[in-house]
DNA sequence: CGGCTGATTGATCCCGGTCAAATGAGGTGG
DNA sequence: CCACCTCATTTGACCGGGATCAATCAGCCG
């Protein structure tokens, strides 16, 4: 049974991204599309998909919406440790570990594909390119976490927020969620503060600074980057860690 | 040819750790021991093993010494994003990505096994438990990076340093590098500052506070934890993310 | 003994946190 | 349509944790 065009566009970001990490064979692509479409689920804004300590036994691939990974301390301090954008997977292979070390929440209403562990394993077993694509995804994720460490450890507030915006921009671009110099920014300042390790008040003031220096416009849940190069300079941003250009080029 | 006992003890931490992540078959264990012993190398203190932007085509397994992963900003600010302890691998599968996003340096004189990509791939292909062990290692690494993000983003200096000590302690323990309440701490205060996102001056003052509150003794490159529970409390430390207890228990 | 690296101390400053209140912007029920 | 509530953004005032600059001290090595 051929996929409808609605189905195809639903899973398109995920396929596009996997394919950028490793070129997929047509069969792998088709079987993965079917597997995703069989497990489509929805989550409302603010909903936790999975919590720290939970047992995992499926893989989720985000099809639309913004999610985040976060951790909290006993006294309520919260840190968003990463965002999850359409096309990205929540926890490929996470079922190899007994429990989640962090929680995942939907920041906006979201759609995702839920693929059970056994199914996922057999898909990967059938096609090595899929295995490698997911391995690459995990490695890139790891690189992103490292960049966040230096972001929080060594950049001042202004640089830090600028860096986050650059990263979001560059991660959304390959899945077609950037138009020109504009992308959606459907999260609260609270969320941005928790992602940058700042207080809401200071984040708000930092945003005002960025607007005043004419780097960005942020209004109505939309981010317009007025001068991307200047923003990247201010952020000391270098996109290498995202491995956007052929994660799998070399294969001597 | 049987291994000498000197050889065996050299690679013991690595085998012990892999085995804790996934039980290895005797054959996998033996073949991996041989592969490591064939590629033993040494690095001096301060030496870079690999730099940001470099191409990778082998996997290194640390046998002794302390290494670190770090990133620097153009203006010289430096952040250690993780330590690498004996038994841990530098970059399993990193060769799937074209270049390193960070650098790795030896903080002390170190010994490691260098296994070429092709050899590594064939070892993994021959035994699924090895594949899973390295996959688990990558996942745990990922979890550690996330914990570092919340450490830098939401903990104050005292908690942050305490947390680092707890983590080091719990990571060194399973490879036999903790004796009672004591472990080696062969790094400078500069290194600790770069790992916690603090200035050296403030790190030094924080250490004094920790000594004054009788939580630790740190002298002659040795850390004595006087009250581990109190230290963990002060750090809001919870070891779950390290997945120390049976990374691979559940296998229904 | 001089030069180096690392640890320590002192003085000062400022980035960013905290507290508190005001302003908007939807949403909802009367 | 308006009163009201809630949630997000914004502003103001104040404070303190941690950075910065600079000097001193302690080993260590040649």
């Amino acid at each position: 049974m051929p996929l409808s065009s609605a189905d195809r566009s639903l899973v398109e970001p995920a396929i596009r991204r996997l394919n950028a990490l490793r070129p997929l064979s047509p069969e792998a692509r088709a079987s993965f599309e079917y597997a995703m479409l069989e497990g489509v689920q929805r989550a409302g804004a603010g909903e936790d998909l999975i919590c720290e300590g939970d047992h995992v036994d499926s893989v989720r691939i985000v099809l639309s919406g913004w999610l985040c990974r976060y951790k909290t301390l006993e006294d309520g301090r919260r840190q968003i440790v990463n965002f999850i954008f359409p096309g990205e997977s929540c926890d490929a292979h996470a079922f190899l570990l007994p429990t989640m070390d962090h929680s995942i929440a939907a920041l906006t209403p979201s759609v995702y594909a839920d693929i059970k562990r056994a199914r996922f394993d057999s898909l990967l077993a059938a096609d090595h390119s899929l295995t490698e694509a997911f391995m690459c995804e995990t490695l890139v994720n790891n690189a992103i976490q490292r960049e966040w460490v230096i972001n929080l450890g060594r950049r001042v507030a202004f640089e830090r927020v600028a860096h986050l915006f650059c990263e979001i921009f560059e991660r959304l671009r390959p899945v077609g969620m950037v138009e020109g110099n504009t992308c959606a920014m459907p999260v609260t300042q609270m969320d941005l503060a928790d992602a940058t390790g700042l207080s809401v008040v200071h984040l708000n003031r930092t945003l005002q600074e960025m607007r005043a220096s004419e780097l960005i416009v942020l209004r109505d849940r939309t981010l317009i980057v007025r001068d991307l190069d200047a923003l990247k300079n201010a952020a000391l941003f270098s996109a290498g860690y995202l491995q956007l250009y052929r994660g799998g080029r070399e294969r001597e």
Side-chain angles (χ1 to χ4, degrees), chain A:
Chain A
M1 170 181 69
L3 298 180
S4 74
S5 78
D7 284 348
R8 206 168 272 281
S9 80
L10 182 64
V11 298
E12 195 241 334
I15 294 296
R16 209 204 281 200
R17 185 151 179 287
L18 286 171
N19 204 59
L21 291 164
R22 287 279 141 169
L24 300 183
S25 66
E27 305 78 49
R29 181 195 166 116
S31 60
F32 204 72
E33 278 176 339
Y34 276 114
M36 285 195 284
L37 287 166
E38 276 175 15
V40 171
Q41 315 237 327
R42 275 151 215 286
E47 191 176 315
D48 277 321
L49 297 214
I50 193 162
C51 291
E52 191 173 339
D54 283 358
H55 174 84
V56 197
D57 71 344
S58 64
V59 174
R60 294 168 225 236
I61 323 279
V62 178
L63 301 178
S64 70
W66 283 35
L67 316 203
C68 73
R69 301 176 191 276
Y70 70 95
K71 303 192 75 155
T72 50
L73 300 180
E74 298 142 33
D75 62 5
R77 279 175 279 178
R78 169 174 179 258
Q79 175 72 43
I80 291 181
V81 298
N82 208 160
F83 290 105
I84 310 180
F85 297 121
E88 301 182 354
S89 81
C90 278
D91 18 52
H93 293 111
F95 43 63
L96 287 176
L97 301 179
T99 58
M100 286 292 284
D101 65 294
H102 63 286
S103 306
I104 296 181
L107 294 172
T108 71
S110 303
V111 181
Y112 62 92
D114 187 298
I115 303 179
K116 293 286 166 234
R117 175 182 186 162
R119 182 76 188 276
F120 185 76
D121 278 343
S122 74
L123 283 166
L124 295 210
D127 193 298
H128 199 54
S129 63
L130 266 182
T131 310
E132 287 194 352
F134 278 103
M135 188 71 219
C136 283
E137 196 197 25
T138 302
L139 293 171
V140 171
N141 244 309
N142 221 153
I144 292 172
Q145 292 307 159
R146 283 188 287 263
E147 188 67 33
W148 281 48
V149 171
I150 186 170
N151 204 31
L152 295 176
R154 291 302 184 210
R155 271 184 266 253
V156 298
F158 192 98
E159 298 165 342
R160 218 184 278 183
V161 177
H163 189 279
L164 180 64
F165 285 161
C166 290
E167 181 181 308
I168 290 173
F169 221 67
E170 297 301 345
R171 283 171 71 180
L172 288 180
R173 200 200 295 282
V175 284
M177 294 176 68
V178 170
E179 305 209 0
N181 58 356
T182 304
C183 72
M185 180 67 57
V187 296
T188 66
Q189 294 190 4
M190 182 65 172
D191 294 326
L192 293 175
D194 282 345
T196 48
L198 300 169
S199 65
V200 204
V201 173
H202 198 69
L203 178 98
N204 179 281
R205 289 180 170 133
T206 304
L207 287 180
Q208 290 176 46
E209 257 186 85
M210 295 182 69
R211 287 189 266 244
S213 54
E214 310 227 301
L215 288 174
I216 63 157
V217 178
L218 178 55
R219 251 184 35 207
D220 306 325
R221 310 266 125 148
T222 299
L223 173 70
I224 304 174
V225 177
R226 310 195 69 160
D227 184 343
L228 184 55
D229 286 338
L231 189 67
K232 286 182 174 176
N233 274 332
L236 299 130
F237 178 86
S238 156
Y241 71 102
L242 294 173
Q243 309 278 182
L244 295 170
Y245 312 111
R246 306 306 312 107
R249 185 182 25 72
E250 49 77 52
R251 201 79 230 274
E252 61 271 41

